[in-house]
Amino acid sequence: MMTVSTHDKTLQVDRSNRAKLTDKEFSFICQFVYQSTGIVLNDNKREMVYRRLTRIIRERKLASFSQYCQMLKEHPEREKDFFINAITTNLTSFFREQHHFDYLKTTEFPTLLQRKKKLANGKKRLRIWSSASSTGEEPYSIAMTLLEVLKAELSEWDAKILATDIDSNVLNKGKNGIYDNNKIEAIPQSYLDKYFYQGKGENRDNVKVAKELQQLITFKRLNLLHDWPMKGPFDVIFCRNVIIYFDKETQQDLFARYYELLAPGGLFILGHSENLGSFQKYFENSGRTMFRKPY
C-alpha cells in the first residue's frame, strides 16, 4: 500500500485562480493513480501533479481541484482514460541511453541472428517488445538498429517490434511517426538520410519516419497491471524508466511476468536508475542495466 506525505500545506493553482490542491485532494489523486495504474506518487511528485491537474481543470472548465476529484469519484470509468493520459510522464528521446543500442548493434543482434539462422526451419522469427514506448522514439530507435544489422536480409525474417504504453495519446503520436526537427538531433546523419523524410511547406519543421520502420512496429495500448494478451516469446524486452514508478511488490510481480515472456537467452533492458532487486538472482548480467535470461 502506498503512503503519501500529508504536510499541512496547499498549492495555489496560479495567482489569478483561488483553487487549491489540499492534502486530502492530493492523497485522493495519488490513491486513484495507484489503483488505476500501479504508479506510486509520493510528496516529491506533488508539484508535477499540481501542474497537470491545473491543465485538466482548465480544460474541463472547473472551478477547483475539489470538483475534479468529485468527478473522478462519480464517473471513474468515464474519466479514467483522460486522467491517465494527462498525469503519466512521457519523457523520451531517440537513442536515449545510447549504450543499449550500441550493444544491440555490435553484439546482441548479430549473435541472435546467427543463432536463429542455425535453428530456423523456414522463415526466421524475431520478436522485440518496447513496453513503455511513449511517443515512439524508443521503438523507432530499436527498428533503425535492427535494420542496420539485417540490411538486405530483412525479407528472410519474420521480425516484429511491439510498442505498448498506457497513454493512448502518445501511442497515436508514435504510430503517426511525425516529429519536430528538434527531436532528431541525437540521430546519426546516415540514419536520418535513410529513415526520415523532411517535411516541406507548412510541415518544414517536422520529419516523418520511413514506412520500412513503421512496418516493423505495432503500437498497442497496455496497462502493465492488467492482463497481457501477447504470448511471446520475446528475444529482447525494453522496460526502461517505468519500473521506478511502481512499489517494490509490484516491481517484483512485473519482473516475474517479463521473465515468463522472455525466450531462453533473451535480453531484458532496464533504465539507468533501475535494478532488479531480489529478482536479480534469476538473470545473468550482460552489461549496464542489461540482463539475460539463462538458456
Side-chain angles (χ1 to χ4, degrees):
M1 186 68 176
M2 68 175 290
T3 59
V4 178
S5 175
T6 56
H7 299 302
D8 184 18
K9 60 183 177 180
T10 57
L11 290 173
Q12 295 287 339
V13 173
D14 59 36
R15 293 178 181 177
S16 62
N17 194 325
R18 292 178 297 175
K20 298 178 181 180
L21 178 62
T22 66
D23 289 336
K24 182 178 180 180
E25 291 158 359
F26 178 63
S27 179
F28 169 76
I29 290 297
C30 291
Q31 292 288 346
F32 191 92
V33 170
Y34 182 76
Q35 292 166 6
S36 301
T37 69
I39 294 173
V40 176
L41 296 176
N42 287 315
D43 202 57
N44 62 345
K45 297 292 185 182
R46 187 174 182 129
E47 181 66 22
M48 181 272 286
V49 171
Y50 148 72
R51 291 195 305 270
R52 297 189 181 193
L53 282 180
T54 299
R55 292 198 294 268
I56 292 175
I57 66 172
R58 284 172 177 165
E59 289 183 29
R60 289 291 193 254
K61 301 186 186 308
L62 301 174
S64 66
F65 293 122
S66 177
Q67 284 189 3
Y68 188 66
C69 289
Q70 190 62 36
M71 182 182 293
L72 287 176
K73 292 174 183 177
E74 294 176 355
H75 308 286
E77 292 304 316
R78 187 188 71 185
E79 189 67 17
K80 184 166 64 175
D81 288 351
F82 176 84
F83 174 75
I84 290 172
N85 287 352
I87 211 73
T88 50
T89 301
N90 294 294
L91 176 65
T92 187
S93 61
F94 287 101
F95 295 100
R96 186 182 186 185
E97 300 186 54
Q98 179 70 49
H99 63 280
H100 289 153
F101 300 99
D102 291 342
Y103 183 83
L104 290 180
K105 183 176 181 180
T106 62
T107 304
E108 187 67 18
F109 283 159
T111 302
L112 181 60
L113 298 180
Q114 286 300 318
R115 181 167 59 84
K116 283 182 171 285
K117 285 179 182 178
K118 295 178 181 179
L119 298 174
N121 295 317
K123 199 160 189 177
K124 297 171 279 287
R125 182 184 185 277
L126 184 64
R127 293 291 184 273
I128 303 167
W129 179 18
S130 168
S131 65
S133 64
S134 187
T135 45
E137 287 91 334
E138 180 176 275
Y140 284 124
S141 298
I142 297 169
M144 284 184 274
T145 305
L146 179 60
L147 286 179
E148 288 298 299
V149 178
L150 281 178
K151 295 185 170 65
E153 297 181 27
L154 179 61
S155 61
E156 302 174 17
W157 287 85
D158 174 18
K160 295 180 180 178
I161 299 169
L162 174 63
T164 64
D165 200 279
I166 195 172
D167 187 333
S168 57
N169 292 330
V170 299
L171 285 171
N172 287 333
K173 183 173 179 59
K175 188 174 182 179
N176 290 335
I178 298 173
Y179 298 94
D180 296 337
N181 285 338
N182 61 9
K183 297 289 187 181
I184 61 174
E185 295 174 354
I187 302 176
Q189 187 61 48
S190 60
Y191 288 15
L192 290 174
D193 294 340
K194 281 187 283 188
Y195 303 123
F196 291 83
Y197 298 102
Q198 183 64 53
K200 298 179 180 179
E202 62 181 17
N203 296 315
R204 63 184 178 277
D205 294 329
N206 298 323
V207 295
K208 183 173 177 60
V209 299
K211 283 188 177 180
E212 61 182 320
L213 292 184
Q214 290 183 300
Q215 289 171 350
L216 280 174
I217 304 170
T218 300
F219 288 91
K220 293 286 187 182
R221 190 177 189 195
L222 181 70
N223 185 329
L224 291 175
L225 294 190
H226 295 172
D227 291 337
W228 296 357
M230 57 281 194
K231 297 180 180 179
F234 289 96
D235 301 292
V236 180
I237 296 178
F238 276 68
C239 176
R240 303 192 307 172
N241 307 304
V242 65
I243 286 294
I244 55 174
Y245 295 106
F246 299 106
D247 61 23
K248 294 297 183 183
E249 182 179 354
T250 304
Q251 288 179 10
Q252 295 301 297
D253 178 62
L254 289 173
F255 288 148
R257 297 172 72 186
Y258 281 120
Y259 188 89
E260 289 299 314
L261 282 185
L262 266 176
L267 192 68
F268 186 57
I269 302 178
L270 291 176
H272 70 280
S273 61
E274 298 169 319
N275 62 75
L276 290 170
S278 62
F279 216 83
Q280 172 73 56
K281 61 188 176 184
Y282 298 107
F283 284 90
E284 299 169 354
N285 200 320
S286 289
R288 189 160 30 134
T289 57
M290 293 183 288
F291 308 92
R292 191 173 306 283
K293 180 178 179 178
Y295 289 97

